[in-house]
Amino acid sequence: MKGTTLADGPTINTIAERAGVSIASVSRVLNGLPTRQETVRKVMAAADELGYVRNAVARSLKSRRTHQVAFAMADVGNPAYLAMLRQIQPVLKDAGYRLVLHSTDAVVADEIDVLHSLGERYVDGLIMVPLRVTEAHLEMLDAARAPVVIIGQVPEGTRVDNVRADSRTGVKLAIDHLHALGRRRIGMINGPLDTVPGAARGAAYREALGGVGLPYDEDLVQIGDFYRAEGGRAVAELLDRVPDVDALMCANDLIALGALDVLRAAGRRVPEDVAVVGMDDTDLAAASWPSLSSVSLGSAERGRAAAELMLERLQGGDGEPRLVTVAPRLVVRASTAGAPVADFPAESRTDRKESAE
Amino acid sequence: MKGTTLADGPTINTIAERAGVSIASVSRVLNGLPTRQETVRKVMAAADELGYVRNAVARSLKSRRTHQVAFAMADVGNPAYLAMLRQIQPVLKDAGYRLVLHSTDAVVADEIDVLHSLGERYVDGLIMVPLRVTEAHLEMLDAARAPVVIIGQVPEGTRVDNVRADSRTGVKLAIDHLHALGRRRIGMINGPLDTVPGAARGAAYREALGGVGLPYDEDLVQIGDFYRAEGGRAVAELLDRVPDVDALMCANDLIALGALDVLRAAGRRVPEDVAVVGMDDTDLAAASWPSLSSVSLGSAERGRAAAELMLERLQGGDGEPRLVTVAPRLVVRASTAGAPVADFPAESRTDRKESAE
DNA sequence: TTGTAAGCGTTATCAA
DNA sequence: TTGATAACGCTTACAA
């Protein structure tokens, strides 16, 4: 514990007085501009003694750069967004940017707010994952006075950098895998069709079936919601209606966990009787029993790509808007693999040392 | 798509010119200070037409408030920190504060950096979860020019607000529970003893055993690391050495998942043969099979408490440093409960709609 | 009710 | 090499 608690932080004026030089000289020294040795010494000494720290706000006002970037998404608790955040954070940090986090709680008005507040210039740029893209979004994007990177679909011609997943190919990977395992009665448990992911995944399922020459059978499709219990209920109904189903494509991992619950209760073995594939490849997939095969839509990669696009813009890049599409990946685990893996499963990507007291 | 893309954002000067009034009047109108109707109208009209948005940086410089609060912890991917973040975020947001996120990657120097940068005044306050508290921390805390709330242990007499968990009571809850279930050979799978949580939980285990009149038996303790595979290995060794163990207290949820893996492979039923308790009550606990009983150390509550303490400070509270201790809670699930729950498990607290495209 | 002007803490221009 | 001085965009006395 030193002692020097200062009533009100020192400024370059304080230093200038103390060192007996002008504030201009202080600024020069602090910024490493050519200055006489003697002056440098005096200024540094004064700054040290006073415990001077540069005021970031004043700097920003002058330089018109805040060295902050905002990341806005619906909910940090969602593993997909979290995976993005975990990639975005270090990329920005290494480039000297701070990360301002906005959780919009799936309220569209909040998203518009964030876009609007971009005008306040408290950040140099914004990375956003919109729930869906409304007219209001497009207007604000068009008028944005700072670079924006959108993770998700934007209409053709929107003048922003854009990073996309490819859920269509993702679903296809899963269906191809199941088909190769000999499954022919592949059900789909989806979330609401009026959501972006629900619609996309449903259509992709139908298309992928066609790709392997399987007929599309409405009876094999059950709509629920993107939650575990709801997913379980949907599976229960499907089992009732189509007892000979031998595989389930689930629209996300939570639904797939619900499927495991219900299959177990119904005495169906996974994967022997029914194979199960989830989507998003969250932490939960590796934690469940049997561990869950899951289609990764590359949240982490999308986050990284978005951060990198942003940095390029911030470093002066002002070319045409760019589009990056991230390839999906099927992670095969016990729920489709045949014999469940035992003993020592591989670390999940997010295994971390706990450090709560 | 409107059209008015402005070369360089409008300021109150632009508005003043356009409305034919002084910048002072513009400022007054914008801040809702008493002004003549006619002036209000002219200013508002001009502001609207120009698409004016207040510059947050300039405001901050003048008002000496940034309306930003920083949250610093080792790793956003860690569920315990994430749980805190999820509580902190809305509390700050509702009070009109933005959240600046710092992930220190468990590098102590980075923590010191964050503390140092507090002097730059880019935030009004800092909530921090230090890995451990060094002399350097204490010096910086002492000299901090903005309010700081520490989540974790700080030495007596440190002049900052402090929110703590109570892992000792937490472990006791688990041991009491296991004892009440008739278990008498209760093993402990811990992480390294030179970590804060490892040491605390190990000591708490020993003490809790005493509390129920069980002897402390070194053979029942196995040290590994806070990861799943390591935890599994530790359990395997313990089983080898002490085949009659009938319960396992695991120092975190990942270790407990490793325990489930190994017990299953060894043909031991959970909980009939061996009951298992994890710690931290992460999402994984509800996802595993059997679902995992776990001791919650109240990460969410600690986050909320910290955010609230911070807000009080920001709203002018300048009393003595306060200490909040959050009570732990035992969440009983299938791994200790007797018959594993089937069918429709309750939603976990973080079940959320997925919204990746 | 309004305008002038000072200042928040920097950076940067221009003479000296 | 250095010191006045003018911004940066805003709020706020103080005068008018």
Side-chain angles (χ1 to χ4, degrees):
Chain A
M1 320 239 177
K2 294 246 272 295
T4 346
T5 301
L6 289 132
D8 215 25
T11 73
I12 51 172
N13 286 285
T14 331
I15 298 181
E17 262 179 63
R18 179 120 169 186
V21 298
S22 74
I23 61 167
S25 287
V26 175
S27 178
R28 271 181 223 112
V29 172
L30 260 23
N31 290 304
L33 298 177
T35 316
R36 189 159 49 111
Q37 265 315 310
E38 172 61 8
T39 311
V40 173
R41 210 191 40 68
K42 282 191 295 188
V43 169
M44 293 307 252
D48 271 7
E49 286 164 32
L50 291 165
Y52 172 80
V53 183
R54 281 217 228 29
N55 184 309
V57 178
R59 285 196 106 194
S60 293
L61 179 59
K62 187 68 198 172
S63 67
R64 297 156 158 283
R65 304 204 114 215
T66 60
H67 294 281
Q68 296 191 156
V69 169
F71 175 50
M73 75 293 135
D75 168 28
V76 233
N78 182 313
Y81 299 135
L82 181 62
M84 293 176 189
L85 175 60
R86 294 195 54 184
Q87 294 294 118
I88 294 172
Q89 209 275 334
V91 172
L92 293 182
K93 178 182 176 183
D94 289 351
Y97 285 87
R98 280 179 227 115
L99 196 269
V100 179
L101 196 70
H102 292 277
S103 214
T104 60
D105 298 318
V107 177
V108 175
D110 276 19
E111 270 178 26
I112 304 294
D113 259 14
V114 169
L115 242 16
H116 179 80
S117 69
L118 202 49
E120 292 180 14
R121 319 234 71 147
Y122 68 98
V123 285
D124 299 338
L126 167 67
I127 300 173
M128 172 173 253
V129 198
L131 285 168
R132 65 203 122 93
V133 179
T134 67
E135 258 310 309
H137 283 85
L138 293 176
E139 278 185 30
M140 304 256 23
L141 285 175
D142 208 51
R145 296 204 186 86
V148 178
V149 177
I150 295 287
I151 301 181
Q153 298 278 357
V154 292
E156 289 295 315
T158 311
R159 303 203 48 78
V160 289
D161 291 323
N162 183 208
V163 178
R164 294 187 191 174
D166 179 358
S167 59
R168 192 162 149 220
T169 304
V171 171
K172 182 172 164 43
L173 287 176
I175 300 294
D176 287 357
H177 171 61
L178 293 169
H179 184 260
L181 291 172
R183 310 296 164 138
R184 292 299 178 267
R185 298 287 282 162
I186 305 174
M188 164 92 183
I189 313 296
N190 204 354
L193 295 180
D194 61 355
T195 61
V196 178
R201 292 165 197 194
Y205 162 76
R206 182 167 194 160
E207 188 182 315
L209 281 187
V212 293
L214 287 177
Y216 176 78
D217 177 355
E218 262 190 5
D219 275 356
L220 281 168
V221 177
Q222 186 72 37
I223 310 296
D225 209 332
F226 288 109
Y227 302 84
R228 181 169 181 170
E230 266 296 338
R233 266 179 226 116
V235 171
E237 283 189 47
L238 184 70
L239 283 180
D240 244 29
R241 191 169 65 231
V242 194
D244 68 334
V245 64
D246 60 10
L248 291 174
M249 164 85 243
C250 302
N252 77 0
D253 282 352
L254 288 173
I255 292 177
L257 290 185
L260 294 182
D261 296 333
V262 169
L263 290 169
R264 185 183 293 115
R268 309 282 189 113
R269 291 167 306 161
V270 174
E272 293 84 350
D273 302 328
V274 181
V276 176
V277 181
M279 201 149 196
D280 287 341
D281 188 32
T282 62
D283 282 3
L284 304 178
S288 75
W289 183 264
S291 63
L292 189 66
S293 294
S294 187
V295 175
S296 163
L297 293 177
S299 301
E301 293 83 346
R302 279 183 283 160
R304 172 162 291 270
E308 282 165 355
L309 287 179
M310 177 53 70
L311 282 185
E312 285 172 35
R313 286 288 174 211
L314 293 176
Q315 278 144 24
D318 53 331
E320 286 298 293
R322 284 156 306 171
L323 169 63
V324 174
T325 301
V326 170
R329 201 162 37 88
L330 174 67
V331 182
V332 176
R333 297 198 182 83
S335 69
T336 64
V341 189
D343 275 314
F344 306 116
E347 296 294 313
S348 95
R349 282 173 314 168
T350 49
D351 278 359
R352 284 294 161 123
K353 180 182 289 192
E354 292 292 302
S355 40
E357 134 61 8
Chain B
M1 319 241 179
K2 294 248 271 297
T4 348
T5 301
L6 289 133
D8 216 24
T11 72
I12 51 171
N13 286 286
T14 331
I15 298 181
E17 264 179 61
R18 178 120 170 188
V21 298
S22 74
I23 61 167
S25 286
V26 175
S27 178
R28 272 181 221 112
V29 172
L30 260 23
N31 290 303
L33 297 178
T35 316
R36 188 158 50 111
Q37 264 314 308
E38 171 62 6
T39 310
V40 172
R41 209 190 41 68
K42 282 191 295 188
V43 169
M44 292 308 253
D48 271 7
E49 286 163 31
L50 291 165
Y52 173 79
V53 183
R54 279 218 235 15
N55 183 311
V57 177
R59 285 197 106 195
S60 293
L61 180 57
K62 186 68 198 169
S63 66
R64 296 155 159 284
R65 305 205 113 214
T66 60
H67 294 280
Q68 296 191 154
V69 170
F71 175 50
M73 76 292 133
D75 167 29
V76 232
N78 183 313
Y81 299 134
L82 181 62
M84 293 176 190
L85 175 60
R86 295 195 53 184
Q87 295 295 118
I88 293 172
Q89 209 276 333
V91 172
L92 293 182
K93 179 182 175 183
D94 289 351
Y97 285 86
R98 281 179 225 115
L99 195 270
V100 179
L101 196 70
H102 292 276
S103 213
T104 60
D105 298 318
V107 177
V108 175
D110 277 19
E111 269 178 27
I112 303 295
D113 260 14
V114 170
L115 242 17
H116 179 79
S117 69
L118 202 49
E120 294 179 14
R121 320 234 70 146
Y122 69 97
V123 285
D124 299 338
L126 167 67
I127 300 173
M128 171 173 254
V129 198
L131 286 167
R132 67 203 121 93
V133 179
T134 66
E135 259 309 309
H137 282 86
L138 293 177
E139 278 185 29
M140 304 256 24
L141 285 175
D142 206 51
R145 297 207 184 83
V148 178
V149 176
I150 295 287
I151 301 181
Q153 298 278 356
V154 292
E156 289 295 316
T158 311
R159 304 205 45 82
V160 290
D161 292 323
N162 184 209
V163 179
R164 296 188 190 173
D166 179 359
S167 59
R168 192 162 150 221
T169 303
V171 171
K172 182 171 162 44
L173 287 176
I175 300 293
D176 287 356
H177 171 60
L178 293 170
H179 184 260
L181 291 172
R183 310 296 163 137
R184 292 299 178 268
R185 297 287 283 163
I186 305 174
M188 164 94 183
I189 313 296
N190 203 353
L193 295 180
D194 60 355
T195 62
V196 178
R201 291 165 198 194
Y205 162 75
R206 183 167 194 159
E207 187 181 317
L209 281 188
V212 294
L214 287 177
Y216 176 77
D217 177 354
E218 261 191 5
D219 276 354
L220 281 168
V221 177
Q222 186 71 38
I223 308 296
D225 210 332
F226 288 110
Y227 302 84
R228 181 169 180 170
E230 266 297 338
R233 268 179 224 115
V235 171
E237 283 189 49
L238 184 69
L239 283 180
D240 244 30
R241 191 172 63 233
V242 194
D244 67 334
V245 65
D246 60 10
L248 291 174
M249 164 85 244
C250 302
N252 78 0
D253 282 352
L254 288 173
I255 293 177
L257 290 184
L260 293 182
D261 296 334
V262 169
L263 290 168
R264 185 183 295 114
R268 309 280 188 113
R269 291 168 305 162
V270 174
E272 293 83 349
D273 302 328
V274 181
V276 176
V277 181
M279 202 150 196
D280 287 341
D281 189 32
T282 62
D283 281 2
L284 304 178
S288 75
W289 182 264
S291 63
L292 189 66
S293 294
S294 187
V295 176
S296 162
L297 292 178
S299 300
E301 293 82 348
R302 279 182 284 159
R304 171 163 292 270
E308 283 165 355
L309 287 179
M310 176 54 69
L311 283 185
E312 285 172 36
R313 286 288 174 210
L314 293 175
Q315 279 144 23
D318 54 331
E320 286 297 294
R322 283 155 306 170
L323 169 63
V324 175
T325 301
V326 170
R329 201 162 37 88
L330 174 68
V331 182
V332 176
R333 297 198 182 84
S335 69
T336 63
V341 189
D343 275 315
F344 305 116
E347 296 295 314
S348 94
R349 283 174 313 168
T350 48
D351 278 359
R352 284 293 161 124
K353 179 182 289 192
E354 292 291 302
S355 39
E357 135 61 8

